[in-house]
Amino acid sequence: GAAAASPAERRAAQARLASDGEGPEVLWHRAMATAAPSVPLADALAAAPAADHAASARQLERAAALTADPGVRATRLLAAADAAWQAGRPGWARLLLSRVDAEPGAVALLHGEIELRDGDPAVATHELGTAAELLPDPAEALLLAGEARRLGGDLSGYRGLARTVPAGEGLAFSHFSGLTSVYAGRHDDAVEPLEDAVRRGMADDDVAGAVWAAEAAFARGHAERAHEYAAAAVSRARLGRRHAELPWALIYLSLSAIALDRIPCARAASREGLLAPHNLRMEHLTLLGLAAALLGERAPELDEATEGIAERGLGRPAAVAAWANACLDLADDRPDDALSRLEDLASGVSGDQPVIRVLATPQLVEAAVLAERPERARAALEVFDRWTSAGAEPCWLALSHRCHALTATDPAVSEQHFRLAIEAHRRAGGAVELARTRFAYATSLRRHRRTRDARDQLRDALRGFESVGATRFAERARAGLRATGETVDVPHRSLAGLTPQQDAITRLVAAGETNKEIARRLVISHRTVDHHLRNIFTALGVRSRVELARRVTDA
């Protein structure tokens, strides 16, 4: 076979394939048949169109092998490494980089980016710091080094880095100035630089610029705009088939969707983001865990991420996981555990993650009130209000009013806040948080013996929970309605009760696919399919795949 052929025999075979015709493929065979450096052949191969990033990396790597000039060879190897990285092949990219013996700044920049996404954030920080010192324009290296600091939760390191950013105009200066002001609670000082960062980020047509713009908008509390810019980043990454940058853009699409209470949108983004280098995959696993937890469900992705997060010291996904676990503690009626977990998060157990800390405030307030320690929520709520009033969007105002309703001691004040919260939720358009606010309002009304009013809120809450498939919360609302004396029908167990992903798995099982095939098709792990199948069997009251297939046929 081909593996047993000598290099000379392989070259002869390539020469026969390259003997007639033209185009990139023939050029490739000609290059593979050539042993000695050849300037015209190397130049032609380097300039030839490639079908995708992987093909481009192969062509550039071979062109470099046929190049005698050391400078040109280094440039081609560097370009090959970048193409391999964008093709989603970090190991190959690192190997190519190790053979580049020139342009140390550019090598450090690409190596730092690969380490940030797929390796150790501490190594990334070092490499990107080196790149910033060596490159004539350090902006990209500084922005990525800043992200490496924030990923690990090292805010003092981030502030130190901010002081090294050249003052004046430029995306890096605006982004660092804005974020350091927000982290210090100086929201007025952040407005101008963050607006400038958005303008500059969206002015170019690259993926990174749109991600930096999304982050700047999010830091100002503008979740809608952040979602819009993240969508632009995702679109740019897809069109450019930039597989290394797409999952990064999807993080901000998913996180902003969660902030806007668009759980299905967040889940779709993070499911697509699972085809990612290690560190980005950990972020998407925890965001999937959080999206499920906000509906009262425990997702297997949360457990899958635990080890990978700890190994690399990834502070941001660790903080998202803590937030998700606190949501689950609340769903399991364990407010003390949730409060303890969220106070750990606030004190920097995962490093300092100011954005996640603020986003988790509604759960901290709910936990503190249920644990009868409302004073523990006040400081966090003050920070939340300062941050959210800077954005002044209905999604934040609704949550702020709910928090104030829960902590108010005067029933009339509490009721006014609940009504304002419901009004803002309607403007924001999210179903889950509106249903949760109605449920909290109903609980407060029942406490004050206003049974009829409580019943109306519980009915609306039940409808909201059922519409998003939040079965545990729906069951709670049903129990609340029964407690007010209303007869509640338990819904017939049908396929309609399944989540969209469970429904997809059910139909694939009915089509005769194995768990392994389903995992590959839905880009989830084998373990996740097993977990969902157990829940599907329970939900539909079936005991085998055959019975499940029959239910789908009958439905």
Side-chain angles (χ1 to χ4, degrees):
S6 71
E9 286 167 333
R10 278 203 295 273
R11 279 199 296 276
Q14 295 281 2
R16 281 194 296 278
L17 289 167
S19 57
D20 59 338
E22 53 188 56
E25 212 165 300
V26 172
L27 193 61
W28 170 254
H29 290 307
R30 200 171 295 150
M32 291 302 284
T34 308
S38 162
V39 172
L41 192 52
D43 289 351
L45 191 60
D52 53 30
H53 287 296
S56 175
R58 276 195 299 276
Q59 285 175 205
L60 286 160
E61 182 178 17
R62 186 66 196 150
L66 297 174
T67 304
D69 182 294
V72 178
R73 186 170 62 241
T75 302
R76 284 174 179 164
L77 278 172
L78 190 57
D82 185 52
W85 170 233
Q86 289 306 333
R89 304 274 297 278
W92 185 18
R94 283 190 182 100
L95 190 66
L96 288 164
L97 271 184
S98 70
R99 289 161 50 198
V100 181
D101 49 11
E103 300 191 53
V107 170
L109 177 62
L110 183 54
H111 185 216
E113 187 185 339
I114 294 170
E115 286 296 319
L116 171 60
R117 309 291 179 215
D118 193 58
D120 186 332
V123 174
T125 304
H126 170 76
E127 287 292 311
L128 293 163
T130 302
E133 284 170 20
L134 294 172
L135 290 168
D137 179 2
E140 189 184 354
L142 287 166
L143 281 162
L144 289 172
E147 197 189 335
R149 291 281 190 204
R150 287 181 292 123
L151 176 61
D154 176 10
L155 276 203
S156 65
Y158 180 76
R159 283 191 293 268
L161 196 60
R163 289 192 285 274
T164 71
V165 179
E169 294 185 356
L171 175 60
F173 182 70
S174 298
H175 204 275
F176 272 94
S177 304
L179 258 56
T180 45
S181 296
V182 167
Y183 295 160
R186 299 193 313 272
H187 295 283
D188 291 346
D189 295 348
V191 174
E192 210 174 304
L194 289 177
E195 283 301 320
D196 186 60
V198 165
R199 271 194 303 275
R200 290 175 187 281
M202 293 307 292
D204 293 325
D205 58 1
D206 64 326
V207 180
V211 176
W212 300 127
E215 215 182 25
F218 204 82
R220 278 203 66 199
H222 290 161
E224 283 283 4
R225 285 173 65 197
H227 195 67
E228 184 189 323
Y229 304 144
V234 166
S235 169
R236 292 172 182 185
R238 282 189 189 135
L239 286 173
R241 288 184 292 192
R242 298 187 71 78
H243 301 299
E245 286 182 313
L246 177 59
W248 177 39
L250 285 164
I251 285 172
Y252 290 94
L253 193 67
S254 180
L255 188 60
S256 57
I258 282 171
L260 292 165
D261 193 15
R262 296 173 193 163
I263 304 296
C265 174
R267 281 177 144 165
S270 279
R271 258 185 228 122
E272 187 181 352
L274 290 177
L275 281 172
H278 181 277
N279 298 348
L280 293 170
R281 181 179 162 79
M282 292 304 111
E283 300 228 40
H284 284 296
L285 286 170
T286 54
L287 286 167
L288 282 168
L290 175 63
L294 288 164
L295 297 177
E297 297 169 19
R298 180 166 196 94
E301 287 89 355
L302 209 51
D303 300 321
E304 198 182 320
T306 308
E307 197 179 328
I309 289 170
E311 274 174 8
R312 307 277 172 92
L314 305 176
R316 189 165 56 211
V320 172
W323 180 14
N325 280 310
C327 292
L328 292 168
D329 290 335
L330 286 169
D332 288 337
D333 213 11
R334 295 199 310 269
D336 292 288
D337 291 350
L339 181 60
S340 161
R341 206 185 286 275
L342 291 169
E343 286 185 328
D344 281 352
L345 172 60
S347 66
V349 166
S350 308
D352 201 348
Q353 298 294 337
V355 173
I356 307 304
R357 190 174 71 222
V358 169
L359 291 174
T361 305
Q363 283 76 28
L364 188 140
V365 169
E366 187 183 338
V369 168
L370 289 170
E372 298 179 351
R373 308 293 297 273
E375 74 289 346
R376 306 266 281 271
R378 297 226 164 90
L381 187 49
E382 271 176 40
V383 175
F384 183 76
D385 283 342
R386 277 203 304 277
W387 192 67
T388 55
S389 62
E393 290 192 346
C395 60
W396 304 129
L397 294 174
L399 293 171
S400 172
H401 280 304
R402 183 172 81 201
C403 289
H404 284 284
L406 288 169
T407 53
T409 48
D410 180 338
V413 172
S414 176
E415 179 157 23
Q416 188 189 5
H417 278 299
F418 272 127
R419 288 181 179 281
L420 288 167
I422 289 168
E423 206 179 289
H425 278 308
R426 281 184 176 141
R427 289 204 308 278
V432 185
E433 294 302 338
L434 171 58
R436 286 180 66 86
T437 295
R438 288 192 185 284
F439 184 79
Y441 185 22
T443 306
S444 171
L445 290 167
R446 279 177 62 203
R447 204 178 296 122
H448 295 100
R449 311 248 186 285
R450 291 173 56 187
T451 307
R452 187 178 295 168
D453 293 336
R455 201 178 290 146
D456 292 342
Q457 293 300 329
L458 284 166
R459 235 181 263 122
D460 288 340
L462 175 58
R463 199 164 42 244
F465 288 136
E466 284 181 338
S467 74
V468 293
T471 47
R472 283 177 79 179
F473 293 141
E475 190 42 60
R476 263 193 205 173
R478 256 184 234 108
L481 274 170
R482 280 195 286 273
T484 64
E486 183 154 319
T487 309
V488 189
D489 294 329
V490 175
H492 174 63
R493 282 177 165 176
S494 70
L495 296 182
L498 301 179
T499 67
Q501 188 163 31
Q502 287 173 338
D503 187 66
I505 290 169
T506 303
R507 292 179 196 286
L508 291 170
V509 166
E513 295 209 1
T514 65
N515 287 11
K516 203 171 186 179
E517 288 165 338
I518 293 169
R520 193 163 53 243
R521 188 187 288 273
L522 297 181
V523 198
I524 53 180
S525 72
H526 193 283
R527 194 162 46 174
T528 301
V529 177
D530 290 342
H531 171 89
H532 281 310
L533 259 182
R534 281 197 298 276
N535 288 344
I536 291 163
F537 279 23
T538 307
L540 299 181
V542 297
R543 289 189 297 274
S544 70
R545 295 172 91 92
V546 176
E547 267 188 67
L548 184 59
R550 200 174 298 131
R551 279 296 296 276
V552 174
T553 317
D554 296 344

